[in-house]
Amino acid sequence: MTIHLYFVLLLCCGFIVQTNGLFRTSELFPSIADPNLSMERIVRNTGYPFELHHVTTKDGYILSVHRIPSNNTNVNVQNRRVVLIMHGLLGSSADWVVPSRDRSIAYLLADNGYDVWLGNSRGTTASKNHTTLSLQSAQFWDFSWHEMGMYDLPAMIDYILAHTGQKQLFYIGFSQGTTQFWVLMSLRPEYNEKIKLMSALAPVAYTGHIIGLLKPASFFANFFKGIYRYTGFFELLPNTALMRFLTQNFCREGMPTQYFCEFITFIIGGFSTEVDHAHFAEYVEFAPAGCSYKQLVHYAMGIQNPGHFRPYDYGTLNNIMVYGQFTPPEYPLDRITAPVILYNGLNDFLAHPDDVDILSRKLPNIVEKYTVTLTRLNHFDFMFAVDVRQYVYDHLIEKMNSIP
């Protein structure tokens, strides 16, 4: 559940939300002009090919999916190995290409002959389009990670398989990218047959043991969930010129304020000794990438109800109309038959080891639970740690390569 340092930075700057009927951040501090062009520039400057694809979901959201075709010229349609990689909350596909080519899982997989597809969930910087709804409307932002699992993921999976001519693909999810996977595979179990292997980085389902800054924040998010009744659902923490200015000027190496930026990430995701100080500002340049207020509230519900992993709680009366019972039903994780490897760290505040243990006992087809013990990785280390390749990615790629 990627919660970046900007959550606190925006609070310090006089937290401004983008909402229907309230002051809009996009009008004062516009987003980057074209995030797809920015992605293409980064990938091509690193020496890899790039393709932009647009996928439309069943409920009308238009998603940007970025493709890095294999560098292996010997790969043909018959032996093509396809992988979809999904970011976490407030993240985007940029998270996977900003690290250097010897530390980015996207580039490492491309070097290993994989056809790499990087998804962008609805509402993030590169996926702010809809066939009928305006970005400024409350209806556009009426979604959580439940809808991402029910609509975004199947749309991307089906598009990629149809485009590549394959019947199955590999899936790598980080944080929220794992949450929406559990939603899809449990409620639409036919999609399990389309997954060769799911590699879950810092997996998030059960959240009752979360510690750090997000624990008290969840009380406020859950308490104020009724705000949508007066404003409609709205966007939080978009990637604006203001946020890029803050990171570029206060989080870069050589600035004394960089340590404050890093400290904020520590109290959110866990303390780490794996921070790349020289490139820290680059890692957070494209984040936060925006999310719906409803996404945060949905996670807060899980934090406040330990031991439960359920759809959105609309209140007793509305739950009866939506679910036919007073409380939302548990996601039926026993229906997830796709093979899964769980990767977790010992100092992860958000994907806490105790919560990962609960998840591992619920999933019926765990290939391996890989706990990194050489160092105490925090939540964000699974993307940006100096030695993430040694601790995680080499093992991940070895396991993927072992599957025919």
Side-chain angles (χ1 to χ4, degrees):
M1 188 165 31
T2 309
I3 308 290
H4 291 272
L5 62 95
Y6 305 96
F7 182 76
V8 173
L9 287 178
L10 277 179
L11 288 175
C12 297
C13 294
F15 192 88
I16 303 170
V17 296
Q18 176 174 319
T19 177
N20 184 46
L22 290 183
F23 197 57
R24 293 191 179 94
T25 54
S26 59
E27 294 175 356
L28 287 186
F29 307 109
S31 300
I32 53 178
D34 192 331
N36 294 315
L37 286 178
S38 297
M39 275 289 294
E40 181 173 4
R41 172 181 54 81
I42 294 172
V43 173
R44 292 194 183 278
N45 286 348
T46 311
Y48 291 82
F50 175 89
E51 293 178 10
L52 169 63
H53 295 259
H54 289 109
V55 177
T56 302
T57 67
K58 187 177 180 180
D59 57 347
Y61 287 83
I62 302 172
L63 314 176
S64 291
V65 182
H66 301 137
R67 183 189 191 189
I68 304 176
S70 169
N71 268 347
N72 189 344
T73 57
N74 295 321
V75 173
N76 55 38
V77 174
Q78 286 70 33
N79 62 15
R80 181 177 293 154
R81 298 170 68 79
V82 181
V83 58
L84 171 61
I85 309 178
M86 285 304 301
H87 59 80
L89 178 65
L90 291 175
S92 69
S93 60
D95 295 340
W96 308 111
V97 300
V98 173
S100 61
R101 62 182 301 165
D102 63 341
R103 289 217 311 265
S104 160
I105 188 61
Y107 299 141
L108 292 173
L109 286 171
D111 291 341
N112 272 264
Y114 287 84
D115 187 354
V116 179
W117 296 73
L118 308 174
N120 289 279
S121 295
R122 63 181 64 192
T124 56
T125 307
S127 294
K128 290 185 174 180
N129 289 292
H130 194 279
T131 54
T132 59
L133 298 177
S134 165
L135 178 64
Q136 304 298 339
S137 69
Q139 291 81 7
F140 182 96
W141 297 102
D142 186 6
F143 62 79
S144 177
W145 38 261
H146 176 86
E147 285 73 25
M148 293 176 181
M150 292 300 292
Y151 300 110
D152 292 10
L153 272 192
M156 286 186 279
I157 290 172
D158 289 341
Y159 178 91
I160 293 169
L161 293 180
H163 193 85
T164 59
Q166 303 300 299
K167 295 182 179 180
Q168 290 184 308
L169 53 74
F170 292 91
Y171 184 91
I172 299 173
F174 167 70
S175 195
Q176 181 187 257
T178 71
T179 310
Q180 58 199 89
F181 182 88
W182 316 134
V183 172
L184 173 61
M185 298 300 158
S186 64
L187 297 183
R188 301 186 65 182
E190 66 273 17
Y191 274 86
N192 285 279
E193 300 300 321
K194 301 183 180 185
I195 305 299
K196 281 190 174 183
L197 176 67
M198 154 55 154
S199 299
L201 305 176
V204 175
Y206 300 93
T207 52
H209 292 91
I210 277 181
I211 58 178
L213 185 63
L214 197 61
K215 184 74 172 182
S218 69
F219 286 95
F220 293 100
N222 204 22
F223 180 77
F224 288 109
K225 67 182 179 182
I227 193 173
Y228 70 85
R229 297 178 183 176
Y230 308 101
T231 66
F233 288 109
F234 50 84
E235 179 184 19
L236 288 178
L237 306 177
N239 186 258
T240 63
L242 169 63
M243 297 317 306
R244 293 167 69 83
F245 172 82
L246 290 175
T247 56
Q248 291 169 2
N249 288 278
F250 293 99
C251 298
R252 58 186 170 87
E253 188 179 31
M255 294 294 294
T257 48
Q258 185 190 55
Y259 297 101
F260 171 75
C261 295
E262 294 175 356
F263 177 74
I264 295 301
T265 66
F266 291 162
I267 62 175
I268 295 173
F271 289 84
S272 173
T273 59
E274 287 287 315
V275 180
D276 182 359
H277 304 285
H279 301 96
F280 182 82
E282 297 173 26
Y283 296 155
V284 296
E285 179 182 358
F286 295 94
C291 74
S292 168
Y293 172 71
K294 192 176 181 180
Q295 286 171 257
L296 293 178
V297 174
H298 199 171
Y299 273 126
M301 290 174 175
I303 297 171
Q304 297 304 312
N305 294 277
H308 294 288
F309 179 46
R310 302 184 291 205
Y312 196 88
D313 188 339
Y314 292 99
T316 303
L317 294 180
N318 288 329
N319 285 339
I320 293 175
M321 291 186 290
V322 175
Y323 306 116
Q325 57 188 59
F326 295 129
T327 59
E330 299 289 331
Y331 286 110
L333 298 184
D334 59 311
R335 301 173 73 186
I336 301 177
T337 57
V340 174
I341 299 180
L342 302 176
Y343 292 88
N344 70 295
L346 294 175
N347 209 35
D348 192 332
F349 285 6
L350 302 179
H352 192 279
D354 291 344
D355 287 325
V356 177
D357 284 340
I358 297 174
L359 175 63
S360 67
R361 293 194 295 269
K362 298 285 187 178
L363 296 173
N365 198 11
I366 296 289
V367 175
E368 182 179 0
K369 181 174 177 289
Y370 187 85
T371 301
V372 180
T373 57
L374 293 176
T375 189
R376 299 179 64 84
L377 293 187
N378 77 359
H379 197 68
F380 308 114
D381 285 337
F382 285 91
M383 294 184 295
F384 304 131
V386 173
D387 295 314
V388 65
R389 179 176 181 178
Q390 171 191 345
Y391 295 136
V392 180
Y393 292 165
D394 285 346
H395 181 275
L396 185 153
I397 294 172
E398 178 184 355
K399 289 296 183 180
M400 288 176 59
N401 287 344
S402 69
I403 297 177

